[in-house]
Amino acid sequence: MTQLLDTITARATPPGTGGIGIVRVSGPQVRTIAQGVLGCVPRPRQATVSPFLDGTGDALDYGVAFFFKAPASYTGEDVLELHGHGGVIVIDQMLARVTALGARLARPGEFTERAFLNGKLDLAQAEAVADLIDSQTTTAARCALRSLRGEFSQQIGCLSKIIAEFRMYVEANIDFSDEPVVPLESAQAQERMDKAQAQLSTLLDRARPGALLARGASVVLSGAPNAGKSSLLNVLARMERAIVSATPGTTRDLIEATVDIDGLAVCLTDTAGLRNSADEIEAEGARRASAAIETADLVLELIDDSDP
């Protein structure tokens, strides 16, 4: 387990006001901080109701504390969670108290980084944590959860094992070429390479839709002015997201709306009509439309069939 010398802290609940706010602490000074805030170190994995004390011994808040003893914690270190009231001022005071006792504010994602460094998660699982948090659809969340459980990591492990075994055979024939080692026939080598390639292709085929589920798909509506792009966006988004007018060039900037299509988050982008224009603003809109088209996963070009 990696030895990290500093102790980190952060708010574990979203910013803003709520019924409950959680301050999480991880690192070697957790027990000292628990003693300063609670007056004791709670028994591991048991809820402890206690006042949260400031430097003078007065209560900053009342709540529930949880202590997770290393290595049986999310980060693999001693971890303390303080569950108090979710007021902005209360949480700020708690963070100030914890940092005064020796912790520092954590960087974004640093708790998961420590879990990775301490062997609690592999890289694929660490990325799955971020994907699960950022999931925009139920299907994306389920996919990220499977990766977090280690399903994708197991498949990568199988591929690594196949490659490692093939490498051992090759290295044995190189290192012990003067000794009676059975030579590796080309057909056998090709068979092992084909097996590894098939496994890799399977992984890539599964990873591509997974990546699309995680980030969502970008779909750009393109076409000439008054082709119906804004109307289509409003229909698909089921809301009046874009202004619809018979006047050409109404849409000047990119207008976005995200919809759930069979479990895939699709970001629809309405664009300015593509035509040559002397109007500086409309020309800039056309330029932005072209840039959006270049980076889109899919472009839907609308054509007005009433105008041949």
Side-chain angles (χ1 to χ4, degrees), residues 255-280:
I255 300 175
E256 297 181 345
T258 300
V259 298
D260 183 345
I261 300 180
D262 292 334
L264 176 64
V266 177
C267 179
L268 300 169
T269 302
D270 183 19
T271 60
L274 297 178
R275 69 173 178 177
N276 294 325
S277 175
D279 185 283
E280 183 178 350

Side-chain angles (χ1 to χ4, degrees), residues 116-260:
F116 167 69
L117 293 174
N118 289 326
K120 305 297 289 188
L121 300 172
D122 61 29
L123 188 57
Q125 290 173 307
E127 292 177 343
V129 172
D131 290 340
L132 183 59
I133 293 172
D134 294 335
S135 296
Q136 301 181 63
T137 66
T138 302
T139 303
R142 289 175 178 171
C143 182
L145 187 59
R146 287 196 296 269
S147 292
L148 182 58
R149 288 173 177 169
E151 292 185 15
F152 190 62
S153 301
Q154 291 174 2
Q155 296 174 31
I156 294 177
C158 291
L159 176 60
S160 299
K161 183 179 180 181
I162 293 172
I163 296 175
E165 290 176 349
F166 177 66
R167 186 194 67 193
M168 288 183 346
Y169 278 110
V170 173
E171 290 179 350
N173 280 269
I174 295 174
D175 295 340
F176 307 103
S177 57
D178 295 334
E179 300 181 17
V181 177
V182 178
L184 185 63
E185 298 181 358
S186 59
Q188 187 178 4
Q190 186 64 48
E191 181 182 352
R192 290 178 178 274
M193 290 180 64
D194 291 343
K195 184 178 180 180
Q197 185 176 10
Q199 183 74 10
L200 179 59
S201 297
T202 301
L203 277 177
L204 290 174
D205 289 340
R206 295 192 63 181
R208 290 188 184 100
L212 198 61
L213 276 174
R215 64 177 173 82
S218 172
V219 177
V220 170
L221 308 180
S222 173
N226 279 24
K229 301 183 294 299
S230 298
S231 297
L232 179 59
L233 176 75
N234 290 340
V235 170
L236 294 177
R238 298 182 180 180
M239 60 185 297
E240 296 297 318
R241 185 70 182 84
I243 297 175
V244 176
S245 171
T247 304
T250 300
T251 302
R252 301 294 185 94
D253 207 346
L254 304 180
I255 300 175
E256 297 181 345
T258 300
V259 298
D260 183 345

Side-chain angles (χ1 to χ4, degrees), residues 16-160:
T17 302
I20 297 175
I22 301 174
V23 171
R24 180 179 294 163
V25 192
S26 177
Q29 297 184 60
V30 159
R31 294 169 187 260
T32 301
I33 293 172
Q35 191 71 43
V37 174
L38 306 171
C40 67
V41 178
R43 297 184 64 180
R45 297 181 175 273
Q46 290 191 11
T48 301
V49 179
S50 172
F52 301 154
L53 306 176
D54 64 11
T56 64
D58 292 331
L60 291 171
D61 193 11
Y62 288 84
V64 181
F66 294 89
F67 172 62
F68 301 91
K69 183 180 178 181
S73 70
Y74 177 72
T75 63
E77 306 171 326
D78 282 347
V79 171
L80 177 68
E81 289 188 357
L82 303 171
H83 296 230
H85 296 93
V88 175
I89 300 300
V90 173
I91 296 297
D92 287 345
Q93 288 180 322
M94 287 302 304
L95 288 172
R97 174 62 173 147
V98 171
T99 54
L101 289 169
R104 65 167 174 83
L105 294 178
R107 293 179 281 103
E110 191 169 3
F111 282 89
T112 299
E113 178 187 28
R114 291 200 172 194
F116 167 69
L117 293 174
N118 289 326
K120 305 297 289 188
L121 300 172
D122 61 29
L123 188 57
Q125 290 173 307
E127 292 177 343
V129 172
D131 290 340
L132 183 59
I133 293 172
D134 294 335
S135 296
Q136 301 181 63
T137 66
T138 302
T139 303
R142 289 175 178 171
C143 182
L145 187 59
R146 287 196 296 269
S147 292
L148 182 58
R149 288 173 177 169
E151 292 185 15
F152 190 62
S153 301
Q154 291 174 2
Q155 296 174 31
I156 294 177
C158 291
L159 176 60
S160 299

